[in-house]
Amino acid sequence: MRLSTLILPVRRWSEGGREVWQRAEELGFHAAYTYDHLSWRSFRDQTWFGALPTLTAAASVTSRMRLGTLVTSPNFRHPVTLAKELISLDDISDGRITLGVGAGGNGFDATALGQEPWAPRERADHFDEFVALLDRLLSQDVVSHEGAHYSAHEVRNIPGCVQRPRLPFAVAATGPRGLKLAARYGQAWVTTGDPKVSNGGGTPAESREAIRGQLERLGKACADQGRDVADLQKIMLTGFTPDRPLDSVDAFVDFADRHAELGIDELVLHWPIADSLFEADVAVFERIATEGAAQLAAR
């Protein structure tokens, strides 16, 4: 079980931003991710910085920890420009970048460029083409593409990624089309649990059963692609289920053990933010990162 964190881009770099990324590496987290949004939920009218510049800065003040997005979506990104930025970021970080990618939703990002929100089928259509084109742009020197939603004309991406054949994709998906993309293009799969369980007042046991079902469907999608599901890392972004793993070290270890039994390989904990959905005791959080992780490693 790997333990990672997610650091929201809400701190000025000169006012604690730098230190929190450095502290994440000091605590031994496997990876530190950030959201790739223009704004997000209750933080919409508060400080919020761009994901890729933040990760570039983080790469310059860390040396071991992996870095990435959870997740980037087609809502306001184009594969051609995104690929160039990712290749640059992979170079700056010396090959430590993971691209978390998802279909996006109907939040603020969906209308920020003046467009109407996509219907679910439209989101899935964009996502299909977005991921497939990104795969080519990040692994081939020259790419041309004329699709339903994206075009690329003799695009050069030299020298390509440090990580070969390209940086890894962590695909967030629970529906059939998204799971097919994860099985075909992903090096990892991402879940936040089942919102129907969490929003409907479900229990931790019901949440785990829902995740078990997601993993079974992922396995079938991999089999349909002729791929062993064991080849994919299974990442859980916590904070959206009925569980309370940040209440104590014991609560975290129990949570981690139960999800490891399901097949989850990596847990991602939100770095605490006061007066928010992610409020937690920082001292307990740091004990979880050290003592809790040590207990898991000893299993």
Side-chain angles (χ1 to χ4, degrees):
M1 174 69 76
R2 291 170 168 169
L3 185 59
S4 299
T5 189
L6 191 142
I7 301 170
L8 268 64
V10 296
R11 301 169 179 84
R12 288 187 179 276
W13 198 246
S14 60
E15 298 174 5
R18 174 199 300 264
E19 287 76 13
V20 72
W21 290 88
Q22 292 175 318
R23 183 59 177 157
E25 184 165 82
E26 290 170 359
L27 289 170
F29 283 111
H30 165 69
Y33 303 97
T34 196
Y35 287 177
D36 189 10
H37 291 295
L38 298 174
S39 58
W40 189 74
R41 297 190 187 182
S42 61
F43 295 89
R44 186 180 188 184
D45 294 317
Q46 301 178 40
T47 299
W48 189 276
F49 292 105
L52 298 185
T54 296
L55 290 171
T56 302
S60 71
V61 297
T62 60
S63 60
R64 303 181 304 277
M65 179 174 67
R66 290 196 64 82
L67 305 166
T69 60
L70 282 184
V71 292
T72 294
S73 83
N75 268 341
F76 63 94
R77 296 288 189 186
H78 191 288
V80 169
T81 51
L82 176 61
K84 182 65 72 173
E85 292 179 353
L86 288 170
I87 287 171
S88 303
L89 180 53
D90 198 48
D91 180 73
I92 291 166
S93 68
D94 195 22
R96 291 187 285 135
I97 299 302
T98 295
L99 177 69
V101 62
N106 286 328
F108 309 127
D109 296 342
T111 57
L113 301 183
Q115 76 273 35
E116 290 296 318
W118 297 324
R121 181 184 294 275
E122 290 178 297
R123 284 202 304 272
D125 290 343
H126 279 80
F127 192 34
D128 279 347
E129 191 175 340
F130 185 83
V131 173
L133 182 52
L134 265 180
D135 173 67
R136 293 180 59 202
L137 288 163
L138 292 170
S139 56
Q140 300 175 18
D141 287 348
V142 184
V143 173
S144 290
H145 172 81
E146 291 294 334
H149 305 291
Y150 304 105
S151 298
H153 179 66
E154 296 185 0
V155 173
R156 265 68 171 172
N157 278 320
I158 301 170
C161 296
V162 173
Q163 301 173 87
R164 293 291 182 173
R166 59 158 168 77
L167 54 82
F169 289 177
V171 182
T174 56
R177 292 179 66 179
L179 290 172
K180 182 178 179 180
L181 286 176
R184 183 173 181 182
Y185 295 104
Q187 284 65 56
W189 167 78
V190 184
T191 183
T192 58
D194 186 339
K196 293 180 181 178
V197 173
S198 302
N199 298 336
T203 66
E206 289 170 333
S207 173
R208 291 192 298 274
E209 191 58 31
I211 294 170
R212 188 190 308 278
Q214 292 175 353
L215 286 161
E216 289 173 355
R217 293 191 292 276
L218 177 66
K220 183 180 185 305
C222 286
D224 290 344
Q225 292 289 318
R227 187 174 181 188
D228 187 344
V229 69
D231 290 344
L232 274 74
Q233 293 292 306
K234 290 83 176 176
I235 301 172
M236 181 177 180
L237 176 58
T238 67
F240 302 101
T241 67
D243 311 272
R244 298 184 59 85
L246 297 186
D247 280 357
S248 68
V249 173
D250 288 344
F252 165 75
V253 172
D254 179 70
F255 174 85
D257 281 342
R258 291 178 184 272
H259 287 81
E261 290 172 0
L262 296 176
I264 299 297
D265 303 305
E266 181 179 343
L267 290 175
V268 183
L269 308 177
H270 286 84
W271 196 277
I273 300 176
D275 302 318
S276 78
L277 171 66
F278 306 118
E279 185 166 16
D281 187 312
V282 176
V284 172
F285 178 83
E286 294 203 354
R287 286 186 59 210
I288 287 170
T290 53
E291 298 170 30
Q295 289 186 43
L296 295 179
R299 291 228 183 335

